[in-house]
Amino acid sequence: MRVTAVGTSGGVPTARYGTSCVSMELFGDRFLLDCGEGSSQRLMRHASVNVDSILISHFYADHTLGLPGVIQALEMDDRDRQLDVHVPAGRYDRAVDLIEGAYGEPSYPVEIHTYTSDEPAVETDEYSVTPFATPYTDYSHGFVVQEAAKREFDPERAQELGISPGPKYGQLQAVQSVETPDGETVQPDDVLSEPQPGRKLVYTGDTRPTQAVVDAAADASLVIYSAMFSEDLAGHARSTGHSTAREAGEVATEANADRLWLTHISPRHEGDEEQLVTQAASAFDGDVVAVRDGDTTGITRSR
């Protein structure tokens, strides 16, 4: 699991930073969480524009205007496979208008899917991406990216039960029973651990700190939080439906998260990002970074 901050400016782009976009690589799949203005150019610089899916948290311009550009960049690269675009239920027509109005009809398939809260928008055997509602607008969401639970195989225990290394190890790991040379049956539960939670990333989108956000972020390996303002602008954050860096830290603490990325940073704080880190760290003792375009990290299990 690798995560790259593609656009980190809140509201409008600046000369240095684009608006909201996060790239993820997970089990060979590549997808975007939001697609703000200029995302295609910044993807070429910091990650890859060759994505499989794009998930839009809500339909404000700083989260969506890059969508036609990415679609065009993929066409210029002779794409032929389908691109999946996931938008909130109730925003299908706006997605169509955005793509067709700005670009027209691409030569490869672009499939628009709608999602609702608390049901996976994307689900594979290895991971799921599940939206959760945020209070920013009637149609705004964050996303929980959750790796499927894993069961660890104990080869020493298998040998104790009479199973030698070989194909039967694979059968047991595929949750199939096998027989020993003596005709005894060995069940998967005999050699597999209890399911261990997989890695978890939470992207909040624009939000105020709420219990729903805390619940969604519970035990996350990484929380990417829309921390637009410093604490001296807390009143402005409340009135506009955004959060401060300290509030992001409080959510991460309540959620028992491992790491916190501050993003969607107001242009007024450009060059003074350490102020936001200090404020978040005053409420959260985990690792805190005010990410900027191009920052990247791998996510490993830490629990």
Side-chain angles (χ1 to χ4, degrees):
M1 183 185 288
R2 175 152 292 275
V3 186
T4 302
V6 177
T8 58
S9 182
V12 294
T14 72
R16 296 180 65 187
Y17 303 118
T19 49
S20 295
C21 184
V22 171
S23 172
M24 289 199 64
E25 297 177 45
L26 187 57
F27 294 101
D29 297 334
R30 184 177 287 113
F31 54 93
L32 304 180
L33 305 177
D34 282 332
C35 194
E37 181 179 347
S39 289
S40 59
Q41 185 267 348
R42 294 182 183 276
L43 282 163
M44 293 173 192
R45 179 181 299 176
H46 301 305
S48 172
V49 75
N50 192 24
V51 298
D52 301 296
S53 302
I54 301 173
L55 295 99
I56 301 296
S57 66
H58 64 286
F59 258 80
Y60 277 23
D62 58 329
H63 295 255
T64 61
L65 282 184
L67 185 56
V70 168
I71 289 172
Q72 180 173 5
L74 291 172
E75 178 147 4
M76 297 293 288
D77 199 34
D78 296 327
R79 185 184 181 101
D80 55 11
R81 76 180 193 279
Q82 178 170 301
L83 173 68
D84 293 301
V85 179
H86 301 264
V87 303
R91 288 293 181 258
Y92 178 88
D93 288 344
R94 290 190 65 174
V96 171
D97 290 344
L98 175 65
I99 295 168
E100 293 186 353
Y103 182 73
E105 186 173 343
S107 60
Y108 61 93
V110 176
E111 187 71 24
I112 300 173
H113 311 266
T114 59
Y115 64 75
T116 57
S117 299
D118 305 319
E119 295 288 341
V122 178
E123 189 168 28
T124 73
D125 290 341
E126 291 86 14
Y127 68 90
S128 62
V129 184
T130 303
F132 62 93
T134 63
Y136 187 60
T137 74
D138 289 340
Y139 297 95
S140 64
H141 297 77
F143 300 106
V144 177
V145 182
Q146 177 70 67
E147 182 184 18
K150 302 293 183 183
R151 301 182 71 182
E152 299 296 332
F153 177 67
D154 186 344
E156 292 184 3
R157 179 59 179 158
Q159 291 182 51
E160 290 173 1
L161 294 172
I163 304 299
S164 300
K168 290 183 178 180
Y169 275 19
Q171 291 176 257
L172 287 165
Q173 292 178 71
V175 198
Q176 300 171 11
S177 61
V178 300
E179 285 192 2
T180 70
D182 296 333
E184 298 292 327
T185 299
V186 176
Q187 300 291 345
D189 287 346
D190 296 330
V191 295
L192 296 177
S193 70
E194 292 297 315
Q196 302 298 310
R199 294 164 291 181
K200 178 179 179 180
L201 176 142
V202 173
Y203 172 82
T204 68
D206 292 5
T207 190
R208 291 289 299 148
T210 67
Q211 189 59 48
V213 175
V214 171
D215 292 345
D219 298 324
S221 308
L222 174 65
V223 175
I224 304 176
Y225 198 102
S226 177
M228 193 165 187
F229 297 113
S230 62
E231 195 60 24
D232 60 308
L233 293 169
H236 188 57
R238 285 191 296 272
S239 67
T240 59
H242 292 98
S243 297
T244 67
R246 179 178 173 81
E247 287 172 328
E250 291 170 347
V251 167
T253 292
E254 290 185 55
N256 191 36
D258 288 339
R259 301 165 61 192
L260 175 63
W261 269 15
L262 309 176
T263 189
H264 200 263
I265 296 168
S266 170
R268 72 189 73 194
H269 298 311
E270 188 172 322
D272 194 22
E273 291 87 352
E274 283 307 306
Q275 172 193 194
L276 303 180
V277 172
T278 298
Q279 292 176 4
S282 70
F284 176 59
D285 61 7
D287 180 56
V288 183
V289 178
V291 290
R292 302 277 36 175
D293 297 15
D295 287 349
T296 187
T297 187
I299 300 178
T300 58
R301 293 184 183 87
S302 57
R303 297 184 185 276

